[in-house]
Amino acid sequence: MTPYSHSQSTIQLICILISLSLSLRKQVAYALELPLHWRMHRLHTRWFIEAYQRDATMNPLLLELAKLDFNMVQGIYKRELSEASRWWTDIIGLSKRLPFFRDRLVENYLWTVGWAFEPQFSSYREIQTKANCFVTMIDDVYDVYGTLDELELFTDAVDR
């Protein structure tokens, strides 16, 4: 089976999609678009909150708690990204001195959110974001900046 082939359950879900209620149809279509275990959990939380808000059996208290949780975690992410941005521009500052580097701090941070989205893993996200930034910088040295002789010397230095 290739990665792009449909499983029997996927085929069955597609076949019964029309017969489902509108709310359930939207949820199934969303899951069929990209499997939920392949998505970044916190990035699609808002979709589920909005879907639950339209549900006739929605519990207002539960909805309010979900919104509060979402907003609190988003606040944590904003604070972490702000701190990472200050580290990247003010403390490290390599992007100013070495203009060939790609400025991919936000992308590197989002990768770590995908790996560890839970609020208690803030330290992990900070360290992993920094490591990702350094890997990106080294990749740029190899791809954009260095000559073959310089890169051989750089590789030898890293190996040692």
Side-chain angles (χ1 to χ4, degrees):
M1 175 160 47
T2 67
Y4 301 106
S5 67
H6 294 294
S7 68
Q8 189 63 31
S9 58
T10 301
I11 293 168
Q12 291 300 314
L13 283 171
I14 291 169
C15 290
I16 66 166
L17 206 54
I18 302 297
S19 65
L20 299 174
S21 68
L22 180 61
S23 174
L24 189 54
R25 187 180 326 140
K26 286 182 179 181
Q27 290 180 40
V28 170
Y30 185 71
L32 288 172
E33 179 183 311
L34 184 68
L36 295 177
H37 65 280
W38 288 1
R39 295 179 187 263
M40 289 178 63
H41 293 280
R42 292 307 291 196
L43 291 182
H44 72 265
T45 300
R46 187 178 186 128
W47 186 92
F48 279 109
I49 289 173
E50 291 172 4
Y52 186 67
Q53 189 169 339
R54 292 186 299 270
D55 191 328
T57 62
M58 174 265 298
N59 179 332
L61 183 58
L62 187 58
L63 178 64
E64 185 64 26
L65 286 172
K67 288 180 178 180
L68 286 172
D69 174 73
F70 180 81
N71 290 331
M72 287 173 44
V73 174
Q74 289 299 105
I76 291 169
Y77 293 162
K78 281 177 62 176
R79 185 175 59 251
E80 289 174 358
L81 190 54
S82 175
E83 291 169 8
S85 180
R86 190 173 64 256
W87 167 81
W88 179 247
T89 56
D90 298 341
I91 298 171
I92 298 296
L94 288 177
S95 59
K96 293 175 191 169
R97 292 180 284 178
L98 303 170
F100 64 88
F101 283 153
R102 294 170 287 172
D103 191 2
R104 299 178 71 174
L105 173 70
V106 175
E107 180 182 347
N108 288 325
Y109 178 74
L110 284 176
W111 284 350
T112 64
V113 170
W115 295 329
F117 62 90
E118 295 92 341
Q120 67 267 27
F121 296 125
S122 181
S123 295
Y124 169 81
R125 286 190 296 274
E126 175 189 353
I127 293 165
Q128 190 62 52
T129 297
K130 290 177 179 180
N132 291 346
C133 286
F134 285 123
V135 168
T136 301
M137 288 189 299
I138 291 170
D139 183 59
D140 289 342
V141 167
Y142 278 93
D143 290 347
V144 178
Y145 186 72
T147 65
L148 184 58
D149 292 336
E150 291 171 332
L151 295 176
E152 286 175 350
L153 290 172
F154 183 70
T155 301
D156 289 341
V158 171
D159 284 344
R160 278 179 275 146

